[in-house]
Amino acid sequence: ADDVTLQLKWVTQAQFAGYYVALENGFYSDEDLNVTIKPGGPDIAPTQVLAGGGADVTVEWMPAALAAREKGLPMVNIAQPFKSSGMMLTCRKDAGVATTDDFAGKTLGVWFFGNEFPFLSWMSQLGLSTDGGDAGVEVLKQGFNVDPILNGQAACVSTMTYNEYWQVIDAGLSPDDLTTFKYEDQGVATLEDGLYALEENLADPAFEDKMVRFVRASMKGWKWAEENPEDAAMIVLDYDETGAQTEAHQVRMMGEIAKLTAGSNGTLVEADYERTVASLLAGGSDPVITAAPEGAWTHAITDKALN
Amino acid sequence: MRNVVPIFTVLLAIVGAWWLAVAPMNIRPALDIAERGGAMIVPEGSVERRDVSVWRLMLDNRDHVVAGYDLKRPRLPTPAQVGNELWKTTGAMVAKGRAWSKRSLIYHGWVTLHSTLWGFLLGTTLGILGAVAIVYSRVVDMSLMPWAIISQTVPIVALAPMIIVVSNQVGIEGRGVPKAIISAYLCYFPVLVSMVKGLRSPSSSELDLLKTYHASGFQSFLKLRLPASVPYLFTALKVGIAAALVGTIVGELPTGAISGLGARILIGDQFGTPLAIWSALFCAAILAGALVTVLDITQRFTLRKMGFRS
Amino acid sequence: MTSNAPNSLPQEIPGQSPAAETVISAQNLSLTFETADGPVHALKDVSLDINKGDFVSFIGPSGCGKTTFLRVMADLEQPTGGQISVNGVSPREARLNRAYGYVFQAAGLYPWRTIGGNIRLPLEIMGYDKADQAERVTRVLEMVDLAGFEKKFPWQLSGGMQQRASIARALAFDADILLMDEPFGALDEIVRDHLNEQLLDLWAKTGKTIGFVTHSIPEAVFLSTKIVVMSPRPGRVTDVIESPLPKERPLEIRDTPEFLEVAHRVREGLRAGHSYD
Amino acid sequence: MTSNAPNSLPQEIPGQSPAAETVISAQNLSLTFETADGPVHALKDVSLDINKGDFVSFIGPSGCGKTTFLRVMADLEQPTGGQISVNGVSPREARLNRAYGYVFQAAGLYPWRTIGGNIRLPLEIMGYDKADQAERVTRVLEMVDLAGFEKKFPWQLSGGMQQRASIARALAFDADILLMDEPFGALDEIVRDHLNEQLLDLWAKTGKTIGFVTHSIPEAVFLSTKIVVMSPRPGRVTDVIESPLPKERPLEIRDTPEFLEVAHRVREGLRAGHSYD
Amino acid sequence: MIWIVGMLVFWAAAWACNVWLANSAFSDKRAVRIAVPLIFGLTILVLWEGLVRGFGVSQVILPPPSQVISVFAASTDLLWIDFVQTVAKGALRGFMIGAFAAFVAAVLIDRSAFLTRGLLPIGNFVAALPIVGIAPILVNWFGFDWQSKAAVVVVMVFFPILVNTVQGLRETDAMQRDLMRTYAAGYLQTLFKLRLPAAMPFIFNGLKIATTLALIGAIVAEYFGSPTRGMGFRISTGVGSLSIDLVWAEIFVSALVGSAFYGAVAWIEKRVTFWHPSQRG
Ligand SMILES: Nc1ncnc2c1ncn2[C@@H]1O[C@H](COP(=O)(O)OP(=O)(O)OP(=O)(O)O)[C@@H](O)[C@H]1O
Ligand SMILES: Nc1ncnc2c1ncn2[C@@H]1O[C@H](COP(=O)(O)OP(=O)(O)OP(=O)(O)O)[C@@H](O)[C@H]1O
Ligand SMILES: Cc1ncc(C[n+]2csc(CCO)c2C)c(N)n1
Ligand SMILES: [Mg+2]
Ligand SMILES: [Mg+2]
């Protein structure tokens, strides 16, 4: 069997259910693959792991991948299991945020580590400076949790529809107390969880073939997960080494994830890609990328995988 | 042993102060919850309350103070809550025969202990070898010593991801080795410093004595410098193991380790479960205590055996 | 200042003639330490002959170079001028031949070794075989009255006993020169008296040549066949006194006029040109 | 064992009669330390009177309670039995009245203060005014021959000079009792001789009452008007010897028959019941 | 290849130079004492440069020092902002508050033998714990800005300084204390004239340990939330956006600041405890 190492973007959770399902249900071994899944974490940059040869393929968000590409790391999107973005900004009504016009002068929690790009280009489209001051917004590098909105340190925090949002709800705030801004609704959505590999590796037909089989099995896993959300969540739980994930939370996450993967067979939709690039190029004074990238994606893998 | 009574008194006082501090620390979330549950709180609205001191809040909402002692997400948990959580994740797991389950702190403690021990081994070996080199070579002494100090001012957290990537690149899998390297990085320094002191502790007359015997350099190392440094070695080991544990946990914190006590702290933070953080912290403390105690006992035993007066 | 032992030397050699065998011979020996505050003349133009079987005491105020002289003999310090020979060869060769036993001011026993282990130390280093080691340890322990203490650790012994053990350590191997640098300096007078008697006894039994540094006039007079009085800045020998005392010396000898007479001469020698700091 | 100074005491009081003023008076004094190995009887039934202007030496083997006795006088240790009075009051009151100067075996100068600063220490604590402090420091430094060393740090001085500085520190304020616990124990004999002469000189000049612990018989005899011989287990006084030597004592007095006679008596006193280790 | 050979040659030459310097007659001269470690450090940089270039290591994994230096030079204003945020506001303030609190606590504890006996072992124990772990809690309590970083630093430096100070205050020998007793000196007099001066070497020992802890504490705490500036912030986002050269520039600043901080404390120590044998050389 051929070895494939997959680097995840974050810790083991239902966000990556498709891969775990494919592993657990033997979809990978059916393709004669021996897959190792490496969970990520707050200080793991999947791009760097890829560059260092620690993984063959990685789950990454497109803004980060394109930024890395501009830094000289030739990452190529080979598949896009997530159709839509799950990013949103969750705000407290009692902090006085009802519309995007209320942002000025407020403190907003944002994830960095390569996840800040969509936010930054959104703010620049809104014409808000992110360097503080009355005209702009005060940006906090949000840690790993949603505490800032709970104890009033921030008016809004970044959340994912499938994860952090529910932590806010679990903490006792009700949806009525909150205003949410989905990036999708704001027209600033960028592509999330895609699969990326290095250009030079893809030039090798053997590697390409491995990727074809990998993507095929992974997509099979994703579709199975969409149909069997509860079982998928249980599989994820079994692989969670932290022992901190709870069943209820993972089942709920799986449900939300299914909404994002629905509508994708794994093939990157070019229009989504163009929209992402446009949004990133518009990143104000300090754009994420300075020129439209060349060769940042390929349909070669998905074309072969899905036929 | 005459210290037992004072130690317990002080411990008791600390726990008492902690317990008392829970009320002011938790009054705001407690009032928020009560208000959402329909209770009348003065003043109304959590935003308004931010400008009121906790003491005022406690005075004005006396009935709700106790609620602070039973929050699901306390800012400061009570000692009992922490104890309970610790028990649930250790003793109770053992009782259920699931000591090695991923939900058990015994398992995570073991993961941390494991790389701590490797880091400790690596660090002490490096420290001792470095000390020998420094004591026997002037060049090494002059060039290495300042950098050893400087090395400790480098924030290893910054190096952690790179250590992971680099060790990945040279073909090392998993987080164990990088964590051990980080922990060795913190551990080697106190060992080095202390061993240099120890290897240099023989007086010049003790060294001269061997010279009159025409002893070789290796003989004087084996028969004098090494045994003379044993008490220093143990002091170093005790500091070193604590440093190694700190290193492992620091290594687990930002590198997104998926198991181990540092990872529990991280996960506890990510999922907003403060009790998980607190129990991991206490577990780390217990681990540190146990490790140092083991070394302490070994030290007493060895030194007594060797004839040093303790 | 060659010394032709005139009388009652406890040498094994029968004819106590001017032809007595010279063991250590120093000619115009100098040693200057270069320090941050300028050169220190620890020894300047020191000439001295020590015969086989002599018991030579070095006395003088602090800093006069007693220790330095002893260390030069033992090749622990290199002279910067003059000659010195030991057993006809250089100190270095003598050291490599293991010609010395050296006893320091503090007993300097290794605390992690038992008394027996400490005495065995030089034997191990010099590669004596196991059986020989054991035999020698037993013998020297008896010699210094410490039989039965072999298994004890140093700190389980009094200061006087520790010092005896350190002497035993220097006796355990076959060095025929014993150099002692204020070996009893840290002990109280009464214990000291006792050790002095034992040392004389040992010296008579073994016939070794002994170089002995002391600050105590009675001690020097009581023990020595030859007393070397030194003076500082620069360190030099100001007087060499041959003792007229008999070989047999009970403690009471210290109240005899001969003793007091020698002591007086030593004191005068010390007084001359002595500054008190 | 009350002592009525019989002769040649260097007291300022003219009539050296049995009525001489008693400064320290101990009756059946006992002190038992409770240790892990059982009680240690450091002092048992010690009675002694010290008169104003006496120079009293305490001599005895290690562990006989010399230090303990001195410390009881200075209220550094509490007796477990018997009475002791100092200047007619309890040691505690005497201490609070600052009646003592105490000199320890090691100089015990604070290394972070200059020599001058060390001598000034008691004066600062006792609240002397600045000008007085400076004046006293200069005076006592001269007294101990250390003029010019005021600005030096202790570690820049030799052991003998440090010990003199520590004596100066004890002299700087107006204590009329000086207690010295083996002040010269760490020094070499020659420096010691010199300091002994200076101490006698000082004593004559100031007329203080001095309690002095030593291990050296010649030192005790040379210095004292009264020699207290002690013996251990339990610590007790075995002999009190009044010295017949005159107040003026050149170093040569040590070669006189009177001196040797007293020394002999002390040695006999010590020898009785002394074990050597 | 040329890089690797060149690097090896440089290495050999530098080492030979150091051997010669260290064993030469002026090895005690100040200039040599500084030159030898500098040459050593330079060698490491050259080795690093040679290895990275020789083996063509990707710059997103390990950039060569030359690139780090140019990024350092190009981003001084950014580095300065981070320095102010993390060092001047977080670490330094935390250090001062922690040191002061520990010092006062030590003097108070020291008055009671009972407390000392009870607290010293506990303090020693706590000083050995991985206290950085409380960073997420303190960030939650004290907010995102420098206050929470300072709080982490306070807690981290408190115990080493406390323990060392208490230990130091007990360090006077019996004779020195007895001397004070014979003068019938009061508590404050004994404290100021004897015990504090005698404790200084210990206090400085604690302060020196605390200097390295302070920086690490402030930086780690930024991982759990921070404004969009600070060394920890820059390091973690730098890794995420593969600006590894900037990360190294921050590491460089941290080492520089840490060494300077340590050096400053050691310098003051030298002045204050000039009398201690360890300082007299
Ligand atoms: N290694 C050294 N470096 C510099 N000076 C030294 C060294 N060893 C000794 N001296 C100096 O040489 C002189 C003679 O010293 P030495 O130790 O021989 O004297 P000593 O007679 O043994 O004195 P003491 O009775 O104090 O032991 C002294 O002034 C001493 O300071
Ligand atoms: N603090 C103490 N606790 C227990 N035992 C003590 C203490 N101080 C002294 N002793 C014991 O009391 C006895 C008398 O001690 P002390 O120090 O007075 O003797 P000393 O005559 O001064 O001896 P040395 O000549 O050695 O100084 C000794 O056996 C000693 O071990
Ligand atoms: C420090 C840090 N915070 C948040 C993320 C963002 N992130 C990446 S995947 C994912 C999914 C939901 O949990 C989220 C939130 C990160 N990478 N690093
Ligand atoms: Mg000497
Ligand atoms: Mg004593």
Side-chain angles (χ1 to χ4, degrees), chain D residues 66-67 181-182 213:
Chain D
K66 305 180 294 294
T67 297
D181 189 359
E182 292 195 64
V213 170

Side-chain angles (χ1 to χ4, degrees), chain A:
Chain A
D2 298 311
D3 290 330
V4 171
T5 307
L6 169 68
Q7 173 66 55
L8 300 183
K9 181 173 176 54
W10 196 244
V11 297
T12 303
Q13 55 183 0
Q15 181 189 0
F16 311 106
Y19 313 107
Y20 284 106
V21 167
L23 184 63
E24 177 69 17
N25 289 356
F27 300 163
Y28 288 134
S29 41
D30 291 347
E31 294 282 356
D32 196 29
L33 290 174
N34 177 19
V35 173
T36 311
I37 301 179
K38 285 183 172 178
D43 216 9
I44 303 290
T47 49
Q48 206 188 17
V49 176
L50 198 63
D56 300 307
V57 54
T58 176
V59 176
E60 185 50 287
W61 290 1
M62 185 164 279
L66 294 183
R69 200 176 163 84
E70 228 186 49
K71 286 262 185 239
L73 184 71
M75 295 174 73
V76 179
N77 179 303
I78 56 170
Q80 185 60 42
F82 274 44
K83 169 74 178 134
S84 12
S85 157
M87 273 253 257
M88 58 185 184
L89 207 56
T90 300
C91 305
R92 269 179 96 128
K93 283 195 178 134
D94 60 9
V97 182
T99 71
T100 52
D101 298 337
D102 301 322
F103 285 161
K106 295 286 184 320
T107 300
L108 313 184
V110 178
W111 290 314
F112 277 78
F113 206 75
N115 306 308
E116 68 273 33
F117 304 128
F119 173 82
L120 294 177
S121 55
W122 181 25
M123 287 301 128
S124 82
Q125 284 175 29
L126 290 177
L128 290 168
S129 112
T130 51
D131 305 331
D134 281 345
V137 294
E138 174 86 31
V139 176
L140 285 181
K141 186 193 90 161
Q142 186 175 325
F144 314 117
N145 61 35
V146 294
D147 282 349
I149 196 174
L150 302 179
N151 55 26
Q153 289 167 356
C156 311
V157 290
S158 298
T159 56
M160 302 304 293
T161 52
Y162 47 85
N163 191 357
E164 288 80 3
Y165 176 74
W166 296 103
Q167 285 184 37
V168 181
I169 300 298
D170 287 346
L173 290 170
S174 73
D176 297 340
D177 298 330
L178 303 169
T179 318
T180 58
F181 302 92
K182 289 194 179 168
Y183 281 48
E184 287 283 356
D185 302 342
Q186 301 298 318
V188 288
T190 51
L191 284 171
E192 289 166 10
D193 302 32
L195 290 171
Y196 293 81
L198 287 180
E199 211 168 279
E200 67 231 40
N201 291 344
L202 290 170
D204 171 12
F207 183 83
E208 189 187 32
D209 176 56
K210 254 188 350 187
M211 287 301 107
V212 169
R213 285 180 278 146
F214 174 76
V215 169
R216 191 185 299 136
S218 300
M219 287 319 296
K220 203 167 151 197
W222 272 120
K223 293 310 144 191
W224 191 91
E226 275 172 36
E227 282 151 24
N228 311 284
E230 306 219 339
D231 296 335
M234 292 315 290
I235 291 175
V236 169
L237 273 181
D238 287 342
Y239 280 93
D240 167 38
E241 280 200 52
T242 64
Q245 309 282 13
T246 59
E247 190 179 327
H249 187 61
Q250 291 306 311
V251 170
R252 188 170 57 193
M253 186 186 291
M254 189 58 233
E256 294 293 333
I257 289 289
K259 295 180 194 161
L260 304 182
T261 55
S264 169
N265 60 4
T267 312
L268 175 73
V269 177
E270 232 181 302
D272 294 344
Y273 167 77
E274 296 301 345
R275 186 182 28 131
T276 301
V277 169
S279 151
L280 291 179
L281 276 173
S285 59
D286 193 14
V288 182
I289 50 176
T290 50
E294 293 286 333
W297 57 275
T298 173
H299 277 166
I301 307 289
T302 39
D303 286 349
K304 287 184 192 158
L306 304 173
N307 298 319

Side-chain angles (χ1 to χ4, degrees), chain D residues 209-224:
Chain D
T209 310
I210 298 184
F212 187 95
V213 170
T214 180
H215 265 119
S216 159
I217 300 173
E219 189 170 77
V221 178
F222 180 65
L223 293 172
S224 328

